[in-house]
Amino acid sequence: MSQFKKVVFVLGVAFAPLFTAMADVLPAAGAAEVTAVREAPRDIIGEIIDVVGLKPRFEVRSANIDNAAAVIYNGKRYILYNERFLASINNAVHTDWAGVSILAHEIGHHLNGHTLSSRGSNHADELEADEFSGFVLRKMGASMEEAQAAMQVLSEERSSATHPGRSYRLAAISKGWRNADAQLLAGSGGQSREQQQPIASQTRPQQPAARESVRPETKVTNTAALDSRLVLRKVIFSNAPNEQFFLTTRLQLVHMTEDGARVVGKLARTNNPDYPFYFESEYLQGLFVTDSGVLVNKRGQRVGYFG
């Protein structure tokens, strides 16, 4: 049984579809529910709206639905959510930020105009709402892990016709979180460490794959095991294809060894659109990542990729 199915079984909650933007499609039975349900806690919604800086042209209500949804009914915008659903998710991941991220996701659907379309849920809209959620939670003080907590347990690993797979959604949340983080740094007069790093050549790599040496890990964090829920992507190196490297939700590069999981680097952002990321590491010098997930060295030679 997958991690997602285990959570569903334990909580006894039906999670499909997961976070939905709907147009004017509430059934007749749902119309009465919208006028009868209670309002969401104003402190959470108020914080989200304060971060965005826009007027909330919608009403947020608890309702008898499976999870949460952004809807329009009779020309009026609503954010609907199931109280027990949010409480169950918060309990499952041990943080109230999970529920906040779900509400922020739905608010993102309205503020990005997704509910004005009749096309229903789709990958582009869901990822845009995920990015909005990550942005909002960083502004509210959540860590990257807290911003991604709900999506870690609720999303399916593979993409469906309406919703992207887990890795894509976590990446979207990460993007929003990091954009907000950069704004906060700029607002405080600081400069992010990644902006001070040298960047690779503007030319995309054309050379054949090269063998990049991986130095032995020393002075790194060592844990007995790596929780699968913390794995964002697998990382494959050309010269060590059978070694187990993973990128975690904290953007750490972890090497699985006989002694356990060792952190050997951390993913950071550059100001180069061709090579938007690089690994901060004592052991992997000059290792950059393209927007398609290919790992290259300083010479622009391919040395690995994200699996």
Side-chain angles (χ1 to χ4, degrees):
M1 182 179 293
S2 67
Q3 182 65 32
F4 174 82
K5 297 185 186 302
K6 290 178 182 177
V7 173
V8 172
F9 178 79
V10 171
L11 300 180
V13 179
F15 292 147
L18 173 59
F19 311 153
T20 307
M22 304 171 64
D24 193 3
V25 295
L26 280 182
E33 294 170 353
V34 172
T35 59
V37 296
R38 290 173 292 168
E39 295 182 349
R42 285 297 174 186
D43 55 346
I44 295 178
I45 302 304
E47 286 184 49
I48 295 175
I49 295 305
D50 287 345
V51 164
V52 178
L54 299 174
K55 291 184 177 181
R57 302 183 184 278
F58 51 81
E59 291 188 18
V60 184
R61 304 289 184 89
S62 62
N64 185 23
I65 61 176
D66 286 339
N67 41 67
V71 303
I72 296 179
Y73 181 74
N74 284 343
K76 193 168 185 176
R77 296 181 178 186
Y78 293 91
I79 300 292
L80 304 181
Y81 71 98
N82 183 305
E83 286 184 332
R84 282 190 284 185
F85 166 76
L86 294 188
S88 297
I89 296 306
N90 287 341
N91 290 335
V93 299
H94 308 295
T95 174
D96 292 342
W97 285 113
V100 177
S101 70
I102 293 172
L103 292 175
H105 174 99
E106 297 306 333
I107 291 173
H109 278 309
H110 275 319
L111 296 185
N112 283 299
H114 302 159
T115 50
L116 299 177
S117 171
S118 59
R119 60 184 178 177
S121 298
N122 61 84
H123 287 203
D125 288 356
E126 293 303 322
L127 291 176
E128 193 167 31
D130 288 335
E131 182 178 343
F132 177 85
S133 174
F135 180 90
V136 165
L137 264 70
R138 174 63 187 96
K139 285 295 189 74
M140 292 175 67
S143 67
M144 175 83 77
E145 185 177 13
E146 289 166 335
Q148 295 177 323
M151 198 59 65
Q152 282 283 3
V153 299
L154 293 179
S155 58
E156 291 282 10
E157 181 177 355
R158 295 183 179 277
S159 300
S160 68
T162 58
H163 291 73
R166 183 181 301 126
S167 63
Y168 297 102
R169 305 196 68 172
L170 292 175
I173 293 173
S174 172
K175 180 180 179 181
W177 192 96
R178 291 184 174 280
N179 286 341
D181 188 59
Q183 286 188 14
L184 291 172
L185 283 170
S188 63
Q191 186 179 28
S192 63
R193 189 175 176 189
E194 62 219 31
Q195 292 173 320
Q196 302 170 356
Q197 297 290 333
I199 59 176
S201 167
Q202 294 290 336
T203 304
R204 286 188 177 273
Q206 300 291 333
Q207 297 93 331
R211 296 178 63 85
E212 191 76 357
S213 61
V214 179
R215 293 169 58 186
E217 304 92 335
T218 57
K219 299 180 182 179
V220 293
T221 302
N222 186 7
T223 58
L226 179 63
D227 191 332
S228 61
R229 292 175 299 177
L230 301 180
V231 174
L232 184 58
R233 301 293 292 272
K234 186 173 183 180
V235 182
I236 296 93
F237 288 96
S238 301
N239 71 318
N242 296 323
E243 293 292 318
Q244 297 294 303
F245 289 90
F246 298 96
L247 180 66
T248 72
T249 55
R250 293 183 178 179
L251 302 185
Q252 294 175 323
L253 178 62
V254 174
H255 183 202
M256 298 302 300
T257 71
E258 294 181 355
D259 297 325
R262 293 178 178 271
V263 178
V264 296
K266 185 174 179 63
L267 194 67
R269 182 178 290 277
T270 73
N271 58 357
N272 186 333
D274 290 333
Y275 307 99
F277 301 99
Y278 73 99
F279 278 109
E280 290 182 346
S281 174
E282 297 178 51
Y283 319 102
L284 305 169
Q285 300 298 321
L287 188 61
F288 295 85
V289 184
T290 71
D291 55 3
S292 60
V294 175
L295 278 60
V296 299
N297 60 21
K298 288 182 177 180
R299 298 182 296 278
Q301 297 171 313
R302 174 173 172 151
V303 296
Y305 60 95
F306 286 163

